[in-house]
Amino acid sequence: MKIRIARYDKNKEPKAIVFEYEVSEDKTLLENLKEIKEKKDASLTFRCGCRSGVCGSCAIRVNEVERLACKTKLKENDLIQPLKNYEVIRDLVVNIDKNKQLLQNSNSFLEELSSQKVTKEDEKLIHRQSNCILCQSCYSSCPVLEVNKEFKGPFVLTRVLRYLDDKKEAQKSNKIALIQENGIWDCTLCGNCTMVCPEFIDSKSDILKLRMIATQAGYTDPNFQNFSMDFNSGFDSSGGFNPNGF
């Protein structure tokens, strides 16, 4: 069986070339990548860690869909590519340095320890969001990041919700304020992030919940504000309805 791997080298022209490799159908994608590197082409570059779907470091795209290489079996002519919305360093390895800044800019961490008692039921409330393995699959699948590089994105917003729902966090107003710009209102709710998450985290629902929390805190959707202005143009100067105003 053959697969195709899109390889990238910024020092060569053309920088991106698709290579074909003979692989084993019985092995995972990661096992095949390691075999290619060990026996056929030592220059093939990819990232991996635990090999058991826990660390998330082997996330790549198979036929345009984000997958963990250690959990993926291959089919004939599959196309293997690096994650989208990140700078490609070499072959299947992308630069994830910006993630640290995105997390810091959103205060998606424990700012001030609360004195509230935390129960087992409270722990269950943040269990799902706490399982994020930072594989970056949701970022790669996000169409908003293709046009807005400042968008905070799915895993950061899910992480913000995790701390808003955490009784141990005493400082929550900052977090809500920091996700207003390039945050919750910029999401298209397409659901791509939810579909590709290997930990079954529903970032789309998390963002909807964040919007509700923000609304209760007095924030409004800026897109709705614009809509309201357009809607007003549908009325004439006397306050009557003008169908040509839309």
Side-chain angles (χ1 to χ4, degrees):
M1 182 176 75
K2 288 183 178 179
I3 63 168
R4 296 168 295 150
I5 301 178
R7 302 189 55 182
Y8 178 86
D9 187 338
K10 63 181 179 183
N11 298 316
K12 292 183 178 178
E13 287 295 341
K15 293 180 171 55
I17 300 178
V18 175
F19 289 82
E20 276 193 352
Y21 294 95
E22 195 75 37
V23 297
S24 171
E25 188 174 357
D26 298 329
K27 295 181 178 179
T28 66
L29 171 54
L30 181 58
E31 289 170 335
N32 276 306
L33 290 174
K34 291 170 76 72
E35 186 167 294
I36 292 170
K37 187 173 183 67
E38 291 170 1
K39 298 181 179 179
K40 300 174 183 177
D41 189 344
S43 68
L44 178 63
T45 306
F46 54 93
R47 188 178 274 140
C48 67
C50 68
R51 295 178 293 178
S52 57
V54 176
C55 74
S57 62
C58 65
I60 51 178
R61 285 185 297 150
V62 180
N63 301 328
E64 302 285 347
V65 179
E66 289 71 17
R67 308 285 296 272
L68 295 182
C70 66
K71 293 289 188 181
T72 301
K73 289 295 183 71
L74 294 164
K75 300 187 299 294
E76 179 74 33
N77 207 36
D78 275 347
L79 174 62
I80 315 303
Q81 297 171 284
L83 296 178
K84 286 193 302 183
N85 299 325
Y86 288 98
E87 173 199 4
V88 180
I89 298 174
R90 178 76 180 265
D91 293 342
L92 302 176
V93 177
V94 298
N95 187 344
I96 57 174
D97 288 350
K98 71 176 182 180
N99 292 347
K100 181 180 178 182
Q101 194 63 48
L102 286 169
L103 290 169
Q104 288 178 338
N105 291 345
S106 306
N107 285 15
S108 51
F109 46 80
L110 186 65
E111 291 181 77
E112 183 181 336
L113 185 61
S114 159
S115 59
Q116 287 194 70
K117 183 180 178 181
V118 179
T119 66
K120 289 291 182 186
E121 289 302 312
D122 295 328
E123 291 177 2
K124 289 179 182 176
L125 191 61
I126 61 172
H127 175 73
R128 178 66 67 188
Q129 286 77 17
S130 299
N131 283 343
C132 176
I133 57 176
L134 299 177
C135 66
Q136 333 302 331
S137 292
C138 58
Y139 262 58
S140 175
S141 71
C142 179
V144 178
L145 281 160
E146 293 184 26
V147 296
N148 180 6
K149 302 300 181 189
E150 302 302 317
F151 179 49
K152 292 180 172 62
F155 87 76
V156 166
L157 295 174
T158 279
R159 200 176 177 92
V160 169
L161 179 64
R162 179 242 179 270
Y163 283 100
L164 289 177
D165 283 339
D166 191 344
K167 276 191 172 179
K168 295 192 297 295
E169 176 60 274
Q171 181 53 265
K172 300 187 178 184
S173 57
N174 284 347
K175 289 177 172 54
I176 301 173
L178 289 171
I179 57 174
Q180 301 306 307
E181 188 175 354
N182 295 314
I184 53 175
W185 309 113
D186 295 82
C187 173
T188 63
L189 302 178
C190 69
N192 284 358
C193 50
T194 296
M195 288 189 285
V196 301
C197 179
E199 292 297 310
F200 306 106
I201 295 171
D202 188 353
S203 288
K204 175 184 173 181
S205 294
D206 291 345
I207 292 168
L208 282 169
K209 188 174 180 182
L210 285 170
R211 289 184 177 184
M212 182 180 68
I213 293 171
T215 301
Q216 290 171 342
Y219 294 94
T220 55
D221 182 349
N223 300 310
F224 183 74
Q225 289 173 339
N226 294 335
F227 172 78
S228 296
M229 292 173 65
D230 293 337
F231 183 79
N232 287 337
S233 67
F235 294 86
D236 61 28
S237 56
S238 63
F241 177 66
N242 174 14
N244 297 319
F246 293 93

